[in-house]
Amino acid sequence: MKAFKIFVSALALAGLMGMGLTSCKEDKLGPTIFPDEEDVLDPNSYTYKLDKFLKENYLQVYNLEFRYKMQDVGTDMDYNLVPATYENSIDMAVLTKHLWFDVYKDIVNPEFLKQYGPRIIHLIGSPAYNANSGSMVLGLAEGGLKVSLFRVNAMNINDFDQMNEYYFKTMHHEFCHILHQTKSYPVEFNTISTGHYDGSNWQDRQEGVVASLGFVTTYASSAYREDFAEVMANYIVKTDAQWNRILELAARGWESPSSADDPNAYYYCFYYYKDNVAGDDNKAYAQETQVATVEEDGVTHYYLGSQRDKSGNRIVVYPVEDKDGIDGVAAINQKVEIMRNWLKNEWGVDLDALRAEVQERQVSYDIEELRKWVTEIE
Amino acid sequence: MKKLFNIMMLVAVTATAALTSCKNEVDDIFDKSAAERLTEGQEYFTNILSDKGGKWQMEYFANANEPGYVYVVTFNKDGSVKMAGNNLYIARLTNASAMAPAYGDQTSLWDVITDNGLTLTFNSYNRVFHLFSTPEDLSDTEASETGVGHEGDYEFNLMKYSNDTLYLTGKKRHIDIIMTRLSPEVDDRAYLDEVNALPAKYFNALIPDVFITLPNGARYQTAYGSTLIVSMAPEANETRTRDQDADWISYVEKHNAIITPGGLRFMEPITLYGTYEARQRYEAYWKENPEATSEPDIPNVYKVQTFDLQEDGSLLCREDGVSRIAADDLGKVFASYKIKWRVDLAAGEGELAEAISNFVSAMAARDGSTVQTLDFLVYRTTRDPATGDVIETQYMMEATVRRRRGGSFKMDFYYNPVVNADGTVKLVFDGTYNTNATSYVANVPAVQALVDAIGGATFTVTSTSRLAPVNITLTSGEGNYIEASAF
């Protein structure tokens, strides 16, 4: 008992000593360790005009740092990446404003991107290659804060399709990620193509095959969220002809002469019989480019180019029957409708108005005029 | 009692813990904060780089399998940088099948940042420099390098500045890069042309045997030095004597290097062995101690990396101050069966030069013949059937003579070369010559006089370059010499 008292007393003593001694000084925050630096641009700097443009059009308006000088600590260091060229950075800066920020400013409101836009746009010169899958990353949206645009050095300002595919689409794709990372999209979207996503081998799939499964691109077939972002991005930037082409592919049936288990199986949407003699042994497949289309009496006929059988008749080509059990066109349209409603209800954004504005700007911009935003800065 | 002891110990430990946790600040080691010191470092290195014209020679290595590349880098105070290079991959920017280097330059951006210590970054793409970092496949290899490329760094940790030399380390690949200040007057293109000519000058194809001689006298034979991927192996005799079972070729190793007007530097320190036993011990140490962090102290094991160009044209190891890259002893070079020498008929002084001059004049006087060239070269070699090594060399002095009425013929006089212990060389005339020479020996005294003068001389061989002695002087006594060049 005595020992217990000593123990209690000792604990009390130790506790008091501990309390008294460890609380001997109140911590106070001292002055910042960082030197005071005024955020003033140097007119003698080589990059003064671009820096001033970015400051006035992104930083001051959207609180956004448009980072064109490579900072690899801001990237995944597992990738081997290189900086963007200064010249392409200027082009990307003006195009991003014209085709993304100004669109939302005009169609939605000036505050929209100020509130929901990224805080950093990071330009990177090269693609980020995934050596294992053979694919490349074109854009990244990280935590709703940063959008990285890759492959900037390969941009060809005169190649509309390339600009669309690699840059404009990527902008809207990554911004869509930011939006749904802020407000969830309806889970109903995820149910439309359940069971048909393939996160590992999407890059080996064919555009037409995934379209018939209800995906607008092969990448869309990699995961729910990518599907969602791809629907928005492609719907916005694709021309009517390009969008209708996706739907046309989606309406077709596809089959391959190879086994379904063959990872290298190539799928066709047309077949024919050699010498027009029907039978499994004579069945062969045709590429779309081999097929001649002839309209007769309001009916579409397909032939194998100008080839003829032994009797002199044209070789007849047949569309592959769509047997995947999925109405690809309906699935894509359903996804667009969900997107349309989600943007309208959650964000107050009219998807079709947005699309019309982007389409108009995409085909009408004059890069020389846009560059003057930077080059004519005093 | 034991309990009481335990309790008291507990009190003591608790109290000690309480006391030691009281002071929650440590004394400042530095006068300024880390951020302030970094900012000062930024300014320091920014000024160093851009002051005095801002022009530097950069010794750049992308990886361990390619030679080093020299760039001339001009840092401007406005944040721009002009990078100039002259290499094969710049040539391939415009011609994918190019096999020769080409000059290129471009202006881009630079900065000193503090993301991983003080770091020099070239943070906008420069096509003549970032080509070593871009992750595209290389067209000249069978393997796919997509996603990897050359693996070269474009950001460098600033390690040290001393005597107008900056020492940097690649941020990602950790390869050492050295930058040396150049005069702002230097013309980038001309300088790089000069640099590109150096490998063939240092490792001249006419001088096939170049050695790294180690402090204990052992030698490594080198090959392909001009490619900057230097092959090297211990001299064959040492290896064959001590390791009968091994193929000599198995000892050949390759090391990538860069050559500048100042000398040669391997990308990394390389380990060379003065004896076979030293190699055995060294390799056994690392086999037994794979996690060891320091080098073992084993005699006759040498680490070499940087070789500075000396006045005599050899390359002296900076690390040990003794190891040297040079051609063989000049006497042996002159007597080598691998090299042919052409005498400068117009150069030289004394009896030797006079004998040559008389020979030329006498041939003209005899029948209007013109002595076009006078060469020393190997006529015949005898090899050891077991090793294949050349064990005996028969030399000849060969005069190519043009007849007055056209056509030419060769007069050959046969000698046995003897390299003396002091390095001098004696060409011992064996008394024979070819049939073309027969009548001239009999009828033109100056021919025999020349043959005797050469055979009677003891040559001291000198050259302005110990590394590439393509031009030599053969001296036999004061004021008595002739000059010859390898061809």
Side-chain angles (χ1 to χ4, degrees):
Chain A
M1 191 63 187
K2 185 181 178 185
F4 176 75
K5 282 181 181 173
I6 292 172
F7 178 66
V8 172
S9 302
L11 277 181
L13 175 64
L16 283 170
M17 288 177 69
M19 286 170 66
L21 293 171
T22 56
S23 63
C24 58
K25 187 179 177 186
E26 182 185 353
D27 283 335
K28 288 182 179 174
L29 293 175
T32 175
I33 65 167
F34 296 100
D36 286 338
E37 285 183 358
E38 286 187 43
D39 185 21
V40 177
L41 299 178
D42 177 3
N44 297 317
S45 165
Y46 187 81
T47 58
Y48 174 70
K49 290 183 176 182
L50 178 57
D51 292 339
K52 189 175 182 189
F53 171 79
L54 298 177
K55 185 176 181 180
E56 292 176 348
N57 290 279
Y58 287 102
L59 187 63
Q60 292 175 346
V61 181
Y62 297 107
N63 190 24
L64 183 154
E65 180 192 356
F66 195 99
R67 191 178 288 171
Y68 67 94
K69 295 177 180 175
M70 183 76 176
Q71 292 185 11
D72 67 0
V73 290
T75 67
D76 184 339
M77 295 289 277
D78 286 341
Y79 290 120
N80 294 301
L81 305 171
V82 294
T85 67
Y86 182 64
E87 294 73 19
N88 286 12
S89 297
I90 292 174
D91 285 354
M92 194 56 84
V94 297
L95 285 169
T96 301
K97 172 177 159 54
H98 183 64
L99 294 173
W100 181 2
F101 283 75
D102 286 357
V103 170
Y104 279 88
K105 186 183 75 174
D106 293 348
I107 297 300
V108 189
N109 61 63
E111 299 300 312
F112 185 74
L113 279 178
K114 192 181 294 183
Q115 187 172 356
Y116 299 112
R119 293 292 161 257
I120 297 171
I121 293 177
H122 193 186
L123 302 188
I124 291 162
S126 58
Y129 287 106
N130 292 312
N132 292 335
S133 65
S135 61
M136 66 170 84
V137 177
L138 298 178
L140 281 176
E142 297 164 36
L145 291 175
K146 185 168 85 173
V147 168
S148 298
L149 295 174
F150 295 82
R151 207 175 178 272
V152 171
N153 292 348
M155 65 189 275
N156 178 356
I157 206 74
N158 298 314
D159 184 340
F160 174 78
D161 287 338
Q162 188 227 42
M163 294 296 292
N164 224 349
E165 180 65 25
Y166 289 120
Y167 310 108
F168 307 153
K169 195 177 89 175
T170 304
M171 291 175 194
H172 296 289
H173 176 109
E174 301 307 336
F175 184 52
C176 181
H177 280 313
I178 289 179
L179 292 179
H180 75 67
Q181 285 164 3
T182 309
K183 294 182 183 181
S184 301
Y185 60 80
V187 291
E188 176 195 356
F189 184 94
N190 295 350
T191 64
I192 297 173
S193 297
T194 300
H196 298 288
Y197 292 99
D198 186 346
S200 303
N201 301 305
W202 62 268
Q203 67 280 354
D204 298 326
R205 297 173 120 182
Q206 288 172 233
E207 293 283 348
V209 176
V210 296
S212 77
L213 294 173
F215 299 109
V216 293
T217 62
T218 53
Y219 187 48
S221 74
S222 65
Y224 299 126
R225 295 193 317 168
E226 301 309 332
D227 191 7
F228 191 73
E230 282 290 275
V231 167
M232 178 173 168
N234 281 276
Y235 186 72
I236 289 174
V237 304
K238 288 272 198 288
T239 63
D240 285 347
Q242 290 170 324
W243 184 257
N244 289 336
R245 170 69 177 163
I246 293 173
L247 297 179
E248 182 189 338
L249 294 176
R252 290 181 180 166
W254 298 82
E255 64 184 25
S256 173
S258 307
S259 152
D261 298 332
D262 182 356
N264 299 316
Y266 190 84
Y267 287 80
Y268 298 84
C269 56
F270 291 103
Y271 69 95
Y272 63 97
Y273 295 107
K274 293 171 187 169
D275 213 28
N276 278 335
V277 178
D280 287 348
D281 291 346
N282 283 336
K283 190 173 182 180
Y285 292 90
Q287 302 267 19
E288 192 175 7
T289 52
Q290 296 175 278
V291 177
T293 305
V294 178
E295 298 287 338
E296 286 177 354
D297 303 328
V299 180
T300 304
H301 299 274
Y302 302 104
Y303 299 106
L304 187 62
S306 58
Q307 293 187 38
R308 295 179 181 272
D309 62 18
K310 289 173 183 169
S311 305
N313 298 316
R314 298 187 76 170
I315 303 282
V316 179
V317 171
Y318 307 92
V320 169
E321 186 183 350
D322 190 356
K323 293 186 286 193
D324 60 16
I326 297 165
D327 184 340
V329 175
I332 290 172
N333 285 334
Q334 191 182 352
K335 289 175 181 178
V336 173
E337 191 59 23
I338 291 173
M339 174 67 68
R340 184 179 284 119
N341 292 332
W342 178 70
L343 285 171
K344 187 75 179 172
N345 298 332
E346 295 292 337
W347 301 101
V349 174
D350 182 335
L351 176 63
D352 294 293
L354 198 65
R355 178 172 190 255
E357 181 71 16
V358 169
Q359 298 277 322
E360 166 63 21
R361 287 171 180 253
Q362 277 182 172
V363 297
S364 63
Y365 74 78
D366 178 346
I367 190 64
E368 295 296 338
E369 286 300 313
L370 295 181
R371 284 173 183 154
K372 288 179 182 173
W373 290 348
V374 174
T375 57
E376 293 190 351
I377 284 178
E378 294 296 323
Chain B
M1 194 59 200
K2 189 178 177 186
K3 278 185 184 171
L4 180 61
F5 176 76
N6 287 342
I7 290 165
M8 293 309 292
M9 283 298 292
L10 181 64
V11 171
V13 169
T14 309
T16 304
L19 285 165
T20 54
S21 66
C22 175
K23 194 170 189 308
N24 58 6
E25 288 183 4
V26 293
D27 293 334
D28 288 337
I29 297 173
F30 301 101
D31 294 337
K32 296 172 181 169
S33 71
E36 286 174 316
R37 282 181 285 120
L38 276 172
T39 303
E40 284 182 1
Q42 261 182 301
E43 289 174 9
Y44 173 73
F45 280 109
T46 299
N47 289 334
I48 281 175
L49 285 160
S50 58
D51 281 351
K52 301 180 187 176
K55 184 165 288 199
W56 298 77
Q57 167 188 273
M58 174 188 273
E59 299 171 28
Y60 181 77
F61 287 96
N63 58 60
N65 301 312
E66 290 182 54
Y69 303 98
V70 173
Y71 278 88
V72 175
V73 188
T74 308
F75 295 91
N76 300 311
K77 290 189 179 295
D78 66 359
S80 66
V81 59
K82 180 189 173 195
M83 308 194 79
N86 190 337
N87 59 58
L88 182 62
Y89 292 98
I90 293 175
R92 289 184 178 169
L93 290 174
T94 50
N95 176 8
S97 57
M99 295 301 290
Y103 172 84
D105 64 52
Q106 192 176 35
T107 297
S108 53
L109 304 177
W110 71 284
D111 204 353
V112 175
I113 58 175
T114 58
D115 68 342
N116 184 22
L118 290 164
T119 302
L120 168 62
T121 177
F122 297 96
N123 53 10
S124 79
Y125 191 82
N126 188 306
R127 68 186 179 92
V128 304
F129 182 66
H130 288 90
L131 58 84
F132 287 114
S133 307
T134 197
E136 303 298 339
D137 186 36
L138 309 183
S139 60
D140 56 351
T141 66
E142 290 184 6
S144 170
E145 294 88 4
T146 299
V148 178
H150 292 265
E151 296 190 89
D153 269 315
Y154 59 87
E155 293 195 313
F156 309 95
N157 295 130
L158 290 151
M159 309 304 288
K160 190 175 77 168
Y161 173 66
S162 173
N163 295 327
D164 279 341
T165 303
L166 263 170
Y167 299 86
L168 311 96
T169 300
K171 197 171 87 174
K172 207 165 181 178
R173 315 288 179 200
H174 310 297
I175 295 175
D176 290 338
I177 305 294
I178 293 177
M179 289 173 45
T180 313
R181 193 184 293 282
L182 296 174
S183 161
E185 307 303 321
V186 164
D187 178 88
D188 297 3
R189 185 189 289 261
Y191 185 81
L192 289 166
D193 282 345
E194 181 189 331
V195 167
N196 273 15
L198 290 175
K201 189 175 169 186
Y202 283 15
F203 296 95
N204 195 299
L206 295 170
I207 309 295
D209 292 333
V210 173
F211 299 90
I212 304 175
T213 304
L214 300 175
N216 76 336
R219 301 199 304 183
Y220 274 64
Q221 187 160 4
T222 73
Y224 309 115
S226 62
T227 67
L228 301 179
I229 306 291
V230 186
S231 292
M232 61 187 73
E235 267 197 289
N237 290 344
E238 162 73 6
T239 310
R240 286 192 184 126
T241 304
R242 308 307 299 269
D243 190 6
Q244 298 287 342
D245 296 332
D247 186 346
W248 181 73
I249 200 76
S250 68
Y251 285 96
V252 175
E253 49 192 88
K254 295 178 179 179
H255 297 281
N256 60 335
I258 192 167
I259 285 180
T260 65
L264 174 147
R265 179 168 68 92
F266 291 106
M267 191 187 91
E268 294 177 325
I270 58 178
T271 307
L272 300 179
Y273 310 96
T275 64
Y276 182 69
E277 287 79 7
R279 175 191 288 269
Q280 298 290 89
R281 285 183 62 190
Y282 187 82
E283 290 177 349
Y285 173 84
W286 285 108
K287 195 173 180 181
E288 292 162 9
N289 305 281
E291 306 297 327
T293 55
S294 60
E295 290 283 333
D297 184 16
I298 297 174
N300 298 320
V301 173
Y302 307 102
K303 291 280 183 185
V304 300
Q305 182 177 19
T306 309
F307 289 83
D308 296 314
L309 184 64
Q310 304 298 297
E311 280 190 10
D312 68 358
S314 67
L315 295 165
L316 181 65
C317 177
R318 190 182 296 175
E319 287 77 25
D320 61 27
V322 180
S323 298
R324 192 180 292 269
I325 303 176
D328 208 345
D329 295 338
L330 291 177
K332 292 179 180 174
V333 171
F334 176 55
S336 169
Y337 68 92
K338 299 176 182 174
I339 308 172
K340 298 185 286 188
W341 300 96
R342 177 153 295 165
V343 175
D344 184 345
L345 298 174
E349 286 184 4
E351 293 172 7
L352 287 167
E354 196 175 316
I356 290 172
S357 177
N358 290 342
F359 166 64
V360 171
S361 303
M363 291 296 290
R366 166 76 180 171
D367 55 13
S369 298
T370 305
V371 176
Q372 293 182 303
T373 56
L374 185 65
D375 302 329
F376 292 107
L377 65 161
V378 162
Y379 163 60
R380 188 166 55 205
T381 57
T382 307
R383 291 178 182 270
D384 182 331
T387 65
D389 290 345
V390 172
I391 54 176
E392 191 177 325
T393 304
Q394 192 165 32
Y395 225 55
M396 64 182 177
M397 177 175 70
E398 181 173 77
T400 302
V401 182
R402 185 172 181 77
R403 294 189 178 92
R404 183 167 58 90
R405 292 181 178 173
S408 62
F409 64 95
K410 294 182 186 297
M411 293 196 297
D412 297 339
F413 306 91
Y414 303 112
Y415 293 85
N416 291 313
V418 176
V419 180
N420 300 313
D422 63 359
T424 58
V425 181
K426 190 160 181 60
L427 297 179
V428 180
F429 182 53
D430 74 357
T432 62
Y433 36 82
N434 68 355
T435 51
N436 288 336
T438 305
S439 68
Y440 289 98
V441 171
N443 301 306
V444 183
V447 174
Q448 185 65 55
L450 173 62
V451 170
D452 292 343
I454 295 298
T458 298
F459 293 113
T460 298
V461 186
T462 55
S463 174
T464 53
S465 173
R466 285 287 291 107
L467 181 57
V470 289
N471 300 306
I472 57 174
T473 301
L474 303 168
T475 304
S476 183
E478 193 174 343
N480 185 24
Y481 69 92
I482 55 177
E483 294 178 358
S485 301
F487 74 101

